[in-house]
Amino acid sequence: MIELLQQTSNLIGSISAIKELEHKENARILTISDSHGNYRLLAKIVKRFGPECDAMIFCGDGAKDIAELLELANEDESFKSQVPSVIAFVRGNGDPDTYPVSFDIGRNNSNSENYPKGTVLFPYKQTLSVNGQKIYISHGHLEGVDFGYDKLGLQLKFNECKTAIHGHTHIPHDSTEFGLKFVNPGSISRPRGGMPATFAILTVGNNFIDTAFIKINNTFDRDDSYNVTRILV
């Protein structure tokens, strides 16, 4: 079960869970982006897929949705048990840099010392170590992902990473260029480019990261409606 603490790394979870993830074999990462206010869908996805995943990545444009998710986990032990034990998230171009919650989530975070109790910090970039692989996370707007991966590739090299997870374009994507892997899970609520609403589950092996895209049939349906599908290969 996740410990609702934001550490100095800005990851949410216990120190032991973050350390365990660094060596977790074939770790599964629930990867979501661009919820844009559709908190109910975000919570539904976490409720259904969270228990089978070791961590969660959120790539921005939904800070309020993440804060509401954390509030629900703090209030509802049943839901809390379904949230992956580590959460990594970043700030999108439509997000504030902080968001309030009703509990002292930052008491272990030295970056929170100048903020009121109950403040969640949303960094522009984050790294997450999984099964011996270091993953770089950003929304992507500052690296100009609309126009290619040159700037994001430089960030990967600067941060000694080989994989980038980003959002912003609302289009699911999985490619490898010059030995660097770039993944966009798509948007769960506002898809673009003729693609469906999607998110992804990453499987992080010893020498690979596999991406399975999950198609959402109806973003506002009260019933769960998902198809596991490899949209892009």
Side-chain angles (χ1 to χ4, degrees):
M1 182 181 295
I2 189 169
E3 187 172 3
L4 296 174
L5 289 174
Q6 186 169 33
Q7 306 294 344
T8 299
S9 64
N10 289 324
L11 298 173
I12 290 184
S14 66
I15 293 295
S16 60
I18 294 168
K19 290 291 185 183
E20 182 179 349
L21 187 65
E22 294 178 2
H23 307 287
K24 176 75 175 180
E25 293 187 4
N26 295 318
R28 290 166 62 86
I29 313 297
L30 180 60
T31 307
I32 303 172
S33 190
D34 293 277
S35 53
H36 285 280
N38 199 338
Y39 156 71
R40 293 183 183 276
L41 178 59
L42 176 63
K44 186 167 67 172
I45 292 168
V46 170
K47 184 175 181 180
R48 178 163 177 186
F49 292 92
E52 64 190 55
C53 292
D54 302 291
M56 173 178 161
I57 290 173
F58 185 82
C59 299
D61 275 358
K64 182 176 184 293
D65 303 324
I66 290 294
E68 290 194 33
L69 190 83
L70 296 171
E71 288 281 15
L72 179 60
N74 186 56
E75 296 168 0
D76 186 336
E77 285 291 317
S78 176
F79 181 75
K80 183 179 179 182
S81 69
Q82 296 166 324
V83 178
S85 59
V86 178
I87 302 177
F89 50 76
V90 291
R91 175 184 176 186
N93 58 296
D95 289 330
D97 58 349
T98 64
Y99 210 91
V101 292
S102 62
F103 59 100
D104 191 4
I105 193 169
R107 60 186 182 274
N108 283 11
N109 186 355
S110 61
N111 299 321
S112 296
E113 291 176 354
N114 296 322
Y115 292 92
K117 289 184 178 180
T119 299
V120 183
L121 307 185
F122 286 81
Y124 271 127
K125 63 182 181 179
Q126 179 64 274
T127 59
L128 182 67
S129 294
V130 184
N131 194 14
Q133 300 198 50
K134 189 177 176 185
I135 298 171
Y136 180 85
I137 307 161
S138 72
H139 186 59
H141 62 296
L142 296 178
E143 296 91 352
V145 295
D146 298 278
F147 307 102
Y149 286 135
D150 290 348
K151 290 183 180 180
L152 188 54
L154 289 174
Q155 285 293 330
L156 283 177
K157 293 178 180 179
F158 180 78
N159 288 275
E160 299 181 333
C161 300
K162 291 186 177 180
T163 299
I165 313 297
H166 72 91
H168 188 55
T169 68
H170 296 209
I171 299 173
H173 179 87
D174 182 5
S175 69
T176 301
E177 302 177 18
F178 305 106
L180 303 175
K181 186 178 181 67
F182 302 93
V183 176
N184 184 339
S187 170
I188 65 171
S189 63
R190 296 183 183 179
R192 295 175 184 161
M195 302 301 292
T198 57
F199 58 99
I201 293 178
L202 307 181
T203 301
V204 184
N206 293 326
N207 298 302
F208 68 89
I209 295 180
D210 180 72
T211 309
F213 291 99
I214 313 298
K215 174 184 175 183
I216 304 169
N217 290 327
N218 188 338
T219 58
F220 295 99
D221 196 339
R222 288 182 177 272
D223 299 322
D224 289 341
S225 185
Y226 307 100
N227 286 332
V228 178
T229 178
R230 294 186 182 276
I231 297 172
L232 299 170
V233 179

